[in-house]
Amino acid sequence: MLHFSAGGPDTLDADQRRQIEEQLRRELKSKFEAEKKRRDAEAAQAREVQEEALRREMKQKLMAEMAKEYGFNLADGQGASASAPAAEPPPVAMPVAEPPAAAVPVGEVRAAPAKGPVAAPAAEKRPAAARPGPARRQAAARAPAPVLRPPVILVADASVETVKIIRRVAQGEGCQTQVVQGGDLRALVEALAEQKPYVLFLNTLGGAINPLPVCRRARGLDVAVVLMGQFPSAEDVLTASKMGAVGILVEPLTPETVGPKIISALAFAKEVLKRELTFRRVDAGTESMQEKVERVMAEAAEVMAFPHTASRIVEICNRPDVEAEELARVAETDAAISSMMLKRANSAAYAGSSRVETVRDAIVRLGYRMIRSTVTIMSVFALSDAEEKSFVFNRLGHWVHSLAVGSLAEALARVLHYRNPEDAFLAGVLHDIGKLVLDDHLHEDYAQAARLVGVKHTSMRDAEQEYFGIPHDAVGHHVALRWRLPEEITEAIAKHHSPAEIAFGGDAGWTIEAFVYAADQMAKVLMLGDSADFYAAQLPAAFWDHVPLDGNLLRPFIHKAFDRVLEHVNWLNMPADRAGLFPFPPANHKGVYVVDGNTPDRLLDLFFCGRGYDVLHSTESPDMPSGPSIIVYDLRQGGGVGPYPAAGAAEARIVALQGETPAPPGALPANARVLPAPLDYVLLLQTIAG
């Protein structure tokens, strides 16, 4: 319960209290009505499925009875003996209404049901009295309507008992179950393409199939992946989240654990299912894809306009003569904003010796720039749709990534004594706002663009450029200008994929643009959240010349960044586990030896340090008494291929990071695993994990 001192809400007059009460009532009513509508829709959908299943069951029984009575079956229009079993009636075209498939033997992959009309069987001779009349013959000649298959669930590399449990639960949800056994990656990839499943259950923890290429392929096909295994570690959970899996199941499975995973995974497929059941909208050709994006850019700023109170707070904070009393009076007219200010002011990051109990004191403690940043982020978070629109773009993961970039940009600004680190935080959080705009207003098209990341192994920005003709940084810059954000912030949003246009120290000094660009690469390397890809570019040597983040300073920096992100996730009331935010593993004191010539990439240090390893470079002393666990040849900037410590090298896992020019034949050890450029850090994580 909040306690208010003199000058707080106890001094409000009746009209002000009534205004606040009416505003709260409207907000709560809207939320309750939205929740009621959602529950009613779910109940109606469940009733429709139950009614259709009952209708089909009754229809089958009645057709069997009437077939015996009349001597023929309506399914094919042919006469039949009364003792012959009745043919199955044609299925109704519904997404999950077809009866569950018969059990599939373990190891068998059943072919997908044929699409299009089903040919009627040839007519057999019968007595004239039993032959159908002209009208019936005409009806029999007509081809039946195309049959839509029920959702398919694919199970790969699983035990017999696991398959039985998944099949039993899947049947209850109206789904077919297909099985791929024996650790055959090729068969699994072919099954993904042919069966087009909605959910894939894959045994990856100790299984024979490498989950990374499977998850990539599944992500490109809108297939929800659930990984299975015994005793998964925190590292397994983190890796699964970064690969795009919707969850991990611990074996042995039970129907109680499998059921919710199937239901939640099917929810990812509802948009795909809807597109199968409806006609695709046809573009008449009057509007190109780029014109679509330009129209969205023009409308999005209006649709995503800030609430009046938030706009007034941002406007006041931008003035040089801002006063705490005026800002407090405006903030107190919005219960959600004032409550958030008090919550942040009393959080661990800002709490002082005494508890803040008034909005004015909260403003004084937080500062005007942090108030502006917090209100802006809160408003954008409320304006954007929290519902996942497609499996290929994780919106909660996007927000965690954005908060991580903001936190890291602010931390870098403080390390380099930048005058307004709060602005770096706001710019970092909003740097990918263009992705939300595109996914909100063109989510089907954006899902298609996101699939190119896995199919062509390219960055999300390049995929957007190829598909739309306009990338998200240009969209975000346009929206930020319409919101009248400060120029330093709008420029950082515009240039966070353009390092050639950014000054990294030197005579030009440090800018927010440099902090946001560097923080974006760091967040991808540390895998904080999901930016739709994990291709991180190397940072200029000039950056590392001024940023003292090496040796013993790296690990405290990483854990402090995680704590800040977790704090922001909590004040926005986001579920950290669903957003893919997991603590970093503790130090394991295993050695990584990086052979990189004279141009070390400190992002590699950041990556391995975040995984608990100790890192040495070829320019440093190679003394490792027990030998390194991993040897990395970084060939991206002309790094050499030796020397490396001899002790224990035979047991080390060897990885080579390919540059634009491939290494000469025989230059690398025969057992080296070569990773292509640009470097995908999820692939690197999977490689070192085995």
Side-chain angles (χ1 to χ4, degrees):
M1 180 179 294
L2 298 176
H3 302 281
F4 298 95
S5 62
D10 289 341
T11 63
L12 297 177
D13 57 32
D15 290 340
Q16 291 173 316
R17 287 176 175 274
R18 185 165 53 254
Q19 181 182 3
I20 293 175
E21 181 180 357
E22 290 175 355
Q23 182 181 7
L24 288 173
R25 188 181 298 277
R26 286 195 301 270
E27 293 175 357
L28 291 174
K29 182 179 179 181
S30 175
K31 291 180 179 179
F32 272 101
E33 288 180 349
E35 179 65 17
K36 183 177 183 300
K37 184 182 297 184
R38 185 186 67 81
R39 296 190 179 196
D40 290 345
E42 289 181 351
Q45 185 178 7
R47 285 195 300 271
E48 289 177 4
V49 173
Q50 292 174 354
E51 290 173 2
E52 185 61 29
L54 179 60
R55 179 185 295 274
R56 290 179 56 79
E57 183 180 354
M58 294 175 66
K59 184 176 179 180
Q60 289 178 358
K61 291 180 179 179
L62 289 173
M63 287 188 69
E65 294 174 2
M66 292 184 179
K68 292 180 181 180
E69 180 180 351
Y70 287 92
F72 60 86
N73 195 309
L74 289 179
D76 55 11
Q78 304 295 325
S81 170
S83 60
E88 183 179 348
V92 180
M94 283 196 61
V96 293
E98 190 168 293
V104 180
V106 174
E108 176 184 345
V109 180
R110 179 179 296 172
K115 296 182 179 179
V118 180
E124 62 182 28
K125 293 183 179 181
R126 71 182 85 184
R131 292 175 187 166
R136 185 169 294 157
R137 285 198 299 270
Q138 292 176 6
R142 298 192 191 104
V147 177
L148 289 177
R149 64 189 179 95
V152 173
I153 292 177
L154 191 62
V155 185
D157 200 19
S159 65
V160 175
E161 188 61 32
T162 294
V163 172
K164 288 181 180 179
I165 293 176
I166 293 176
R167 177 175 285 126
R168 185 163 66 246
V169 177
Q171 286 179 346
E173 297 297 328
C175 302
Q176 290 183 349
T177 304
Q178 310 292 355
V179 180
V180 175
Q181 284 288 22
D184 190 340
L185 178 59
R186 182 183 296 274
L188 176 56
V189 172
E190 291 176 353
L192 282 172
E194 295 174 2
Q195 302 293 327
K196 296 181 174 59
Y198 289 102
V199 189
L200 168 64
F201 285 90
L202 174 61
N203 179 24
T204 181
L205 309 179
I209 296 178
N210 184 347
L212 181 60
V214 176
C215 285
R216 277 181 166 172
R217 180 62 61 89
R219 184 169 181 161
L221 297 172
D222 262 336
V223 178
V225 182
V226 179
L227 303 181
M228 304 178 295
Q230 294 183 342
F231 312 114
S233 64
E235 185 76 9
D236 294 326
V237 176
L238 176 65
T239 305
S241 173
K242 302 312 174 190
M243 288 190 299
V246 299
I248 281 186
L249 285 176
V250 180
E251 293 182 317
L253 306 185
T254 65
E256 290 74 18
T257 59
V258 174
K261 289 294 181 185
I262 291 181
I263 293 172
S264 62
L266 285 175
F268 280 110
K270 66 181 180 180
E271 290 297 327
V272 178
L273 190 61
K274 186 186 299 182
R275 291 197 293 275
E276 288 187 3
L277 297 175
T278 58
F279 291 104
R280 183 180 295 275
R281 291 195 298 270
V282 178
D283 192 336
T286 59
E287 190 178 36
S288 68
M289 189 60 67
Q290 184 167 337
E291 289 171 339
K292 277 186 180 182
V293 177
E294 290 172 349
R295 173 172 52 80
V296 167
M297 291 167 62
E299 297 174 356
E302 302 299 330
V303 174
M304 300 178 68
F306 283 2
H308 176 71
T309 302
S311 297
R312 286 280 296 132
I313 290 174
V314 173
E315 178 186 347
I316 293 171
C317 289
N318 286 336
R319 295 199 322 240
D321 58 344
V322 56
E323 294 183 359
E325 289 76 8
E326 179 186 7
L327 193 57
R329 285 196 299 270
V330 175
E332 286 170 351
T333 63
D334 189 303
I337 289 179
S338 57
S339 175
M340 176 273 301
M341 288 183 179
L342 290 167
K343 181 179 179 180
R344 291 224 71 188
N346 288 307
S347 66
Y350 296 97
S353 57
S354 60
R355 180 178 177 82
V356 168
E357 297 184 351
T358 69
V359 173
R360 182 192 178 283
D361 291 344
I363 292 170
V364 172
R365 176 171 290 182
L366 293 173
Y368 301 130
R369 291 183 180 274
M370 182 51 68
I371 289 292
R372 182 183 66 187
S373 298
T374 304
V375 170
T376 301
I377 293 167
M378 179 182 176
S379 300
V380 175
F381 184 75
L383 288 171
S384 64
D385 193 349
E387 181 183 357
E388 300 289 344
K389 297 180 181 296
S390 69
F391 177 53
V392 292
F393 184 68
N394 182 348
R395 296 177 72 86
L396 281 176
H398 163 87
W399 270 106
V400 172
H401 170 75
S402 298
L403 292 169
V405 173
S407 300
L408 289 165
E410 181 185 10
L412 291 173
R414 294 188 184 280
V415 167
L416 295 169
H417 308 291
Y418 184 73
R419 61 186 184 279
N420 297 319
E422 296 85 359
D423 289 352
F425 170 71
L426 178 57
V429 175
L430 298 182
H431 78 288
D432 273 345
I433 188 64
K435 290 181 179 178
L436 284 181
V437 172
L438 290 171
D439 191 51
D440 270 334
H441 300 279
L442 296 171
H443 67 269
E444 291 187 11
D445 291 316
Y446 199 64
Q448 295 290 343
R451 289 188 185 96
L452 296 178
V453 174
V455 173
K456 294 192 173 184
H457 307 295
T458 187
S459 69
M460 189 67 215
R461 184 184 187 274
D462 289 344
E464 294 164 349
Q465 184 69 52
E466 177 179 343
Y467 193 87
F468 294 113
I470 301 177
H472 68 268
D473 44 330
V475 176
H477 180 235
H478 177 83
V479 173
L481 289 174
R482 297 290 293 270
W483 283 343
R484 298 181 180 178
L485 294 176
E487 182 180 1
E488 296 89 345
I489 295 174
T490 60
E491 287 301 300
I493 294 173
K495 297 178 182 178
H496 75 274
H497 284 292
S498 305
E501 302 178 25
I502 298 174
F504 292 90
D507 296 337
W510 288 98
T511 63
I512 293 178
E513 303 159 9
F515 302 139
V516 171
Y517 177 80
D520 191 21
Q521 313 314 311
M522 290 180 173
K524 290 181 179 182
V525 167
L526 293 173
M527 300 182 185
L528 291 169
D530 187 348
S531 65
D533 72 71
F534 291 91
Y535 297 104
Q538 292 178 279
L539 295 176
F543 176 83
W544 297 115
D545 290 341
H546 295 86
V547 179
L549 288 179
D550 54 8
N552 296 328
L553 297 177
L554 266 181
R555 192 161 282 121
F557 177 82
I558 291 171
H559 288 283
K560 185 175 181 180
F562 176 85
D563 292 340
R564 290 285 287 169
V565 176
L566 185 60
E567 176 199 339
H568 298 317
V569 165
N570 289 336
W571 73 260
L572 284 173
N573 296 320
M574 296 168 56
D577 54 344
R578 282 182 53 202
L581 185 62
F582 304 99
F584 290 107
N588 56 32
H589 301 298
K590 295 180 180 179
V592 176
Y593 190 74
V594 181
V595 182
D596 50 14
N598 296 319
T599 55
D601 180 11
R602 295 299 177 184
L603 285 179
L604 282 177
D605 294 15
L606 199 69
F607 169 80
F608 283 112
C609 188
R611 307 268 65 79
Y613 293 92
D614 295 327
V615 183
L616 282 177
H617 291 262
S618 55
T619 55
E620 301 167 337
S621 172
D623 294 334
M624 288 186 180
S626 60
S629 299
I630 301 170
I631 298 175
V632 179
Y633 294 106
D634 190 355
L635 311 177
R636 293 173 296 169
Q637 293 185 356
V641 293
Y644 55 86
E651 292 78 25
R653 189 179 302 277
I654 301 178
V655 182
L657 309 182
Q658 193 67 274
E660 295 182 1
T661 303
L668 295 171
N671 60 337
R673 174 75 184 276
V674 180
L675 304 186
L679 178 58
D680 183 344
Y681 276 85
V682 170
L683 181 59
L684 177 58
L685 177 62
Q686 183 66 22
T687 302
I688 66 173

